[in-house]
């Protein structure tokens, strides 16, 4: 009965973990805007760039998602934190090892005890050892909780890189097609200015106009000519940027639809606040907060003793032929308790450091939400005003 009570006591002690449990911070966010959560989820889960209806753009983004070096780096970082989580969780289980040794020793007759005996001793041994730290205070559990949150944060960081990559590739491609159109207009303008210059040169030769008017026409022509190299430079630089995003060497980029044929992507006018919290950068900030919150428990557990069980079993013999005799067996079991008495403030400093990191993560999480709200509001007003300007520009062009 005594052993049962002891086992129950150890289990109850192991069921508690020092340090604060994570509680999601109370963040004030705006109320839901125009449409429901389900509708908003449908919008964000689509491949939004396909709304441009340009197969070349779709192919470029697919290549970028496969070969972009930033994405591959982020994926490798996820694997790193997954391995770290496995390492941390291994402390939950007994650690089993092995060892083998052999020695031969000669004892001189001139030994200190004065026995005057010459002897040679041989000894062989093979052992299996087991060590297991009991997670009484929850140190290992808190460390595992922190490692898991770091893994999730790395995954959210990877998603952030992917979203940024897709947006940059699509924006760069649209910008490239816009530059292509500008180059066409610049070339047409140069040809038009060249024809005007030819006509005005004839008029100048006939005495119809003076040198001043001819010089003005020449200036307009040269201005049109000088605009072309600038646009061609911008096109080459934009192509180089897209190739880097695709993980390729600089070079030309294939084209699909021209800028006038691209279908204008539809952007929702509002996003529910709880949907905003699904942004990977915000979720990454929250996982960082969870990880640092758990580290407080790891730091506080250092105040308490570590309790571990050890065991060893093996064979010891002076002759390999008698290694498996019953007399060659050896074993030992034991327990150990170790702790700190005086550290000069090291333990309290560790707790203070963990608490400070937790506060930094909390403020970073709140800041990420504020920045997310700002970016949504900026995007909505920019989209609305850009559409209004587009309508106005269309009327001006038509006029």
């Amino acid at each position: 009965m005594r052993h049962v009570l002891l086992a129950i006591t150890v289990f109850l002690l192991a069921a508690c973990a020092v340090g604060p449990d994570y509680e999601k911070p109370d963040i004030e966010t705006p109320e839901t805007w125009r449409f429901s959560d389900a509708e908003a989820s449908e919008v964000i889960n689509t491949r939004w760039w396909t709304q441009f209806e340009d197969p070349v753009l779709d192919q470029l983004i697919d290549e970028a998602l496969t070969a972009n070096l930033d994405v591959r780096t982020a994926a490798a970082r996820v694997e790193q934190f997954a391995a770290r989580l496995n390492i941390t969780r291994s402390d939950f289980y007994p650690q089993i090892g092995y060892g083998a040794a052999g020695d031969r020793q000669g004892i001189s007759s001139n030994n200190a005890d004065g026995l005057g005996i010459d002897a040679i001793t041989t000894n062989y041994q093979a052992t299996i050892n087991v060590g297991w730290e009991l997670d009484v205070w929850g140190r290992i559990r808190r460390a595992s909780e922190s490692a898991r949150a770091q893994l999730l944060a790395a995954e959210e960081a990877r998603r952030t890189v992917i979203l940024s990559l897709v947006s940059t590739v699509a924006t760069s491609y649209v910008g490239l097609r816009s530059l292509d159109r500008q180059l066409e207009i610049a070339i047409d303008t140069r040809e038009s200015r060249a024809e005007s210059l030819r006509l005005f040169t004839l008029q100048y030769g006939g005495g119809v106009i003076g040198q001043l008017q001819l010089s003005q026409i020449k200036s307009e022509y040269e201005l049109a000519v000088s605009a072309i190299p600038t646009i061609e430079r911008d096109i080459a630089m934009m192509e180089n940027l897209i190739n880097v995003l695709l993980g390729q060497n600089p070079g030309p980029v294939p084209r699909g639809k021209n800028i006038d044929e691209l279908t204008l992507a539809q952007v929702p006018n509002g996003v529910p606040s709880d949907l905003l919290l699904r942004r990977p950068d915000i979720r990454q900030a929250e996982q960082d907060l969870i990880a640092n919150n758990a580290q407080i428990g790891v730091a506080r557990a250092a105040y308490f003793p570590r309790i571990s069980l050890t065991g060893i079993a093996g064979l010891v013999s002076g002759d390999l032929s008698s290694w498996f005799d019953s007399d060659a067996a050896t074993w030992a079991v034991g327990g150990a308790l170790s702790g700190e008495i005086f550290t000069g403030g090291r333990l309290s400093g560790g707790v203070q450091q963990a608490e400070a990191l937790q506060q930094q993560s909390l403020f970073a999480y709140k800041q990420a939400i504020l920045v997310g709200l700002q970016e949504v509001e900026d995007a909505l007003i920019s989209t609305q005003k850009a559409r209004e300007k587009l309508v106005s520009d269309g009327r001006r062009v038509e006029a």
Side-chain angles (χ1 to χ4, degrees):
M1 185 65 180
R2 181 174 57 186
H3 296 292
V4 174
L5 292 177
L6 179 60
I8 294 176
T9 302
V10 173
F11 175 81
L12 292 177
L13 286 174
C16 65
V18 297
D21 293 328
Y22 174 73
E23 295 183 2
K24 193 178 186 69
D26 186 15
I27 306 295
E28 182 180 355
T29 55
E31 297 180 357
T32 302
W33 291 305
R34 277 186 44 184
F35 45 76
S36 68
D37 187 7
E39 292 172 337
S41 299
E42 184 179 355
V43 171
I44 66 166
N45 289 334
T46 57
R47 292 163 55 94
W48 59 267
W49 61 89
T50 59
Q51 298 181 55
F52 288 111
E53 299 181 1
D54 190 332
V56 173
L57 174 60
D58 298 342
Q59 179 63 31
L60 291 175
I61 291 180
D62 289 340
E63 292 179 9
L65 293 175
T66 302
N68 180 265
L69 297 181
D70 288 334
V71 172
R72 298 174 72 174
T73 300
R77 187 171 176 82
V78 172
E79 294 179 0
Q80 171 195 346
F81 281 98
R84 181 179 297 181
L85 176 59
N86 290 335
I87 294 173
T88 304
R89 285 180 171 176
S90 67
D91 290 337
F92 281 118
Y93 307 99
Q95 306 297 303
I96 304 175
Y98 64 89
D103 65 82
R104 188 176 180 86
Q105 181 180 6
I107 302 176
S108 171
S109 59
N110 298 324
N111 50 58
D113 56 19
L115 295 178
I117 299 175
D118 291 325
I120 297 177
T121 62
T122 303
N123 187 54
Y124 301 100
Q125 65 177 5
T127 59
I128 294 178
N129 50 77
V130 179
W132 188 14
E133 179 183 348
L134 302 181
D135 192 26
V136 177
W137 319 112
R139 182 189 68 83
I140 300 176
R141 270 169 291 160
R142 290 301 191 193
S144 178
E145 178 185 351
S146 177
R148 180 178 182 276
Q150 290 175 340
L151 171 60
L152 295 177
E155 176 60 28
E156 296 300 337
R158 185 184 71 89
R159 291 186 59 210
T160 300
V161 171
I162 290 176
L163 291 177
S164 177
L165 172 66
V166 169
S167 177
T168 304
V169 172
T171 302
S172 300
Y173 179 79
V174 173
L176 178 62
R177 299 306 285 139
S178 176
L179 287 171
D180 290 339
R181 183 61 177 138
Q182 293 179 40
L183 181 60
E184 294 175 2
I185 295 174
I187 293 175
D188 291 343
T189 302
R190 181 191 62 183
E191 299 302 322
S192 175
R193 294 288 190 270
E195 179 63 19
S196 297
L197 178 59
R198 186 185 69 82
L199 294 176
F200 276 86
T201 300
L202 293 175
Q203 293 181 13
Y204 174 75
V208 178
I209 61 173
Q211 180 65 41
L212 178 60
Q213 289 177 288
L214 181 61
S215 297
Q216 291 176 341
I217 296 301
K218 286 183 178 180
S219 176
E220 294 177 359
Y221 168 74
E222 295 299 340
L223 183 62
V225 171
S226 65
I228 294 177
T230 301
I231 299 176
E232 290 175 336
R233 178 205 63 190
D234 293 342
I235 289 176
M237 294 176 65
M238 188 67 74
E239 288 180 324
N240 293 340
L241 171 60
I242 293 176
N243 277 293
V244 169
L245 295 173
L246 269 58
Q248 301 175 358
N249 294 327
V253 173
R255 267 66 160 181
K257 294 183 176 180
N258 60 48
I259 191 66
D260 299 323
E261 295 173 338
L262 292 177
T263 303
L264 189 62
Q266 298 297 319
V267 180
N269 291 332
V271 183
S273 58
D274 58 341
L275 184 61
L276 179 69
L277 298 180
R278 300 181 194 173
R279 283 174 46 132
D281 55 340
I282 294 179
R283 297 179 67 166
Q284 178 187 356
E286 183 179 13
Q287 292 301 327
D288 288 336
L289 174 59
I290 295 174
N292 287 325
N293 186 78
Q295 285 297 325
I296 297 177
V298 176
R300 290 182 180 176
Y303 281 110
F304 302 92
R306 290 193 179 186
I307 302 174
S308 58
L309 302 177
T310 58
I312 185 171
L315 301 170
V316 178
S317 176
D319 189 354
L320 291 177
S321 62
S322 61
W323 218 10
F324 296 99
D325 294 347
S326 59
D327 294 339
T330 182
W331 60 271
V333 294
L337 184 148
S338 62
E340 307 283 0
I341 295 178
F342 177 75
T343 62
R346 177 170 56 84
L347 297 184
S348 60
V351 173
Q352 292 173 0
Q353 179 183 18
E355 291 175 344
L357 289 174
Q358 188 267 355
Q359 286 296 302
Q360 294 177 41
S361 300
L362 175 61
F363 299 143
Y365 175 56
K366 292 182 177 180
Q367 180 68 15
I369 293 177
L370 290 178
V371 172
L373 291 171
Q374 175 197 355
E375 291 178 351
V376 170
E377 292 288 355
D378 290 347
L380 294 178
I381 190 64
S382 297
T383 301
Q384 177 183 349
K385 297 307 176 183
R387 290 181 181 278
E388 294 177 2
K389 184 177 183 301
L390 182 61
V391 173
S392 177
D393 289 343
R395 291 197 299 263
R396 180 171 58 86
V397 170
E398 183 179 355

